[in-house]
Structures are given as structure tokens and as C-alpha cells.
Amino acid sequence: DAGVIQSPRHEVTEMGQEVTLRCKPISGHDYLFWYRQTMMRGLELLIYFNNNVPIDDSGMPEDRFSAKMPNASFSTLKIQPSEPRDSAVYFCASRQDRVGSTGELFFGEGSRLTVL
Amino acid sequence: GDSVTQMEGPVTLSEEAFLTINCTYTATGYPSLFWYVQYPGEGLQLLLKATKADDKGSNKGFEATYRKETTSFHLEKGSVQVSDSAVYFCALSDRGNTGFQKLVFGTGTRLLVSP
């Protein structure tokens, strides 16, 4: 399998612009997670989906952030408008829940966002 | 709620030294325990895991034993290499009635190995 695929790998934008990050989970995985990583706050869970339905979005920092999962193979995280404090690495991860599964997550390589 | 506490870094060692990174957890159910590693500029990769008490996870010379009595999952390696320099995350995923819940991560421990 190709693993979790994220795009873009790097994004540099100016304050106020809209940013869209994309994720393709591993085929057959029914959970998808969005994390944010910064030096100050470490790894933060933003939102996660089960079978394309958002389960917990309590980690989404504010209304400027939104996430969708229109189908089992695609999810987006959107920031509108972006601010410099949104600069971080955003990770997508997926997981399969079947009999015998152990709960581990598979991570993408991340999208590094810089907001100037 | 569930939580993971791991030792603060950075941990600085010379090549071939013995490594221990402490990790303790609190959980209400029957968690699986994990160590993830993040190399510079990359995403997190699963290093090893253990799913029940007394299980030992091992990979690439690293080991960790699931100790329910001390609620610990310390990471060890007998002889570190420069290539082991990375950030290590301890994590748990608790098993509720509806399956595994979200993964809870520790804050990460940076390991620096010098030649």
C-alpha cells in the first residue's frame, strides 16, 4: 500500500489567504485523524473521523479551521483566513478497526505550513 | 481521562551507550501501548507496540515491556547509534466498548546521539 498521502508537502502563504491541506488515507482504513505539530505545543489532535463522519472536533482551534471527509479516500483541512500563528506541520493519520487490530495509527509525512 | 507522561529531553548520549526513556500512563480501560519515532523532517513511524500486560514490543534493537502494575512502558536500547537521533513519542490507545479510542500521545523526548 502507498501509505497515507498528504499534499502539499510545503506551503508558504500570506496572512489572510485560504489554505487547503489534503489527505488520502490508507485504503480500507475507517478512521482518519488530523494533527498539528509545533515546537511550543507539541502534537495536538485537531479532529478525527470514523467512516467519513466527524467524531470529535474539540481540538479545532477556532472557526477559521474546518475539515471535511466527503468520501473514504479523501479529506481536507481548510484554514480561512490563515494567520502567522497557524504555521506548523499538519499530519494526517489513518487507522483500521477490525477484529484483531491493535489501534495503531499510520501517519503521512506531513504538510509544513508557513504563514507570513 | 487517559494520559501519557514521558521524560523530558533532550537526552544526549554517546554512540554505543545504553538508552532508557521513561513512559508512564493512566487509562480507564485496557489500552494498547506504542512507541513512535519521528526523524527530522518526517512523519511519525510506529517503532513498537504491546497490546496486553507483560507483552514486550521490540524492533530495531529497541524494546519496551507493558507493565500494568507500574503503569509503565519504558523504552530501552542496549547500544544506540547516531542514526537513532530522533524524537520518540510514547502513546496509548484505550479500548472502549466501541473499539479503540483516539491515540493519546506523550510530549515526546528528543534523543541526540554523538559519535
Side-chain angles (χ1 to χ4, degrees):
Chain A
D1 201 311
V4 176
I5 300 173
Q6 293 187 245
S7 64
R9 290 294 313 278
H10 302 274
E11 173 99 5
V12 180
T13 190
E14 293 190 346
M15 183 173 63
Q17 296 298 305
E18 178 179 291
V19 173
T20 299
L21 308 178
R22 298 171 178 81
C23 175
K24 181 181 188 307
I26 293 173
S27 176
H29 282 194
D30 38 16
Y31 279 83
L32 184 141
F33 299 76
W34 282 101
Y35 285 87
R36 178 173 68 176
Q37 186 178 40
T38 61
M39 289 294 293
M40 292 295 294
R41 295 185 298 271
L43 199 61
E44 302 173 278
L45 176 63
L46 300 178
I47 184 172
Y48 74 97
F49 296 82
N50 177 215
N51 292 324
N52 313 337
V53 175
I55 302 301
D56 184 353
D57 65 353
S58 59
M60 296 286 261
E62 48 196 276
D63 291 345
R64 298 184 297 107
F65 285 70
S66 62
K68 294 182 179 179
M69 192 165 185
N71 57 62
S73 59
F74 184 66
S75 177
T76 60
L77 177 68
K78 186 175 293 187
I79 308 172
Q80 166 63 20
S82 58
E83 296 182 3
R85 59 194 168 119
D86 301 331
S87 298
V89 182
Y90 291 82
F91 289 103
C92 178
S94 69
R95 186 183 84 199
Q96 181 183 63
D97 263 354
R98 297 286 186 269
V99 173
S101 61
T102 55
E104 67 191 82
L105 288 185
F106 295 81
F107 281 81
E109 294 191 331
S111 294
R112 180 176 295 276
L113 173 65
T114 302
V115 183
L116 304 174
Chain B
D2 295 349
S3 66
V4 174
T5 302
Q6 61 182 108
M7 62 191 290
E8 291 192 20
V11 174
T12 304
L13 296 173
S14 297
E15 205 165 25
E16 300 184 3
F18 184 86
L19 168 71
T20 299
I21 300 178
N22 290 337
C23 171
T24 57
Y25 68 90
T26 58
T28 53
Y30 304 95
S32 291
L33 301 175
F34 308 89
W35 277 100
Y36 280 82
V37 59
Q38 185 179 29
Y39 298 104
E42 298 185 11
L44 279 73
Q45 305 172 25
L46 180 67
L47 179 61
L48 54 83
K49 64 184 178 184
T51 58
K52 61 183 186 297
D54 300 324
D55 266 3
K56 177 186 283 187
S58 61
N59 186 26
K60 300 181 181 179
F62 292 89
E63 292 183 340
T65 301
Y66 190 143
R67 301 287 188 198
K68 191 174 181 182
E69 64 277 11
T70 54
T71 62
S72 65
F73 193 55
H74 304 322
L75 182 69
E76 297 182 335
K77 187 174 186 182
S79 175
V80 293
Q81 306 300 312
V82 172
S83 58
D84 294 327
S85 298
V87 180
Y88 293 81
F89 292 89
C90 185
L92 71 83
S93 184
D94 210 346
R95 245 169 300 177
N97 293 331
T98 56
F100 282 104
Q101 307 305 309
K102 60 187 178 184
L103 212 61
V104 177
F105 283 93
T107 53
T109 302
R110 183 175 299 276
L111 171 65
L112 300 171
V113 181
S114 56

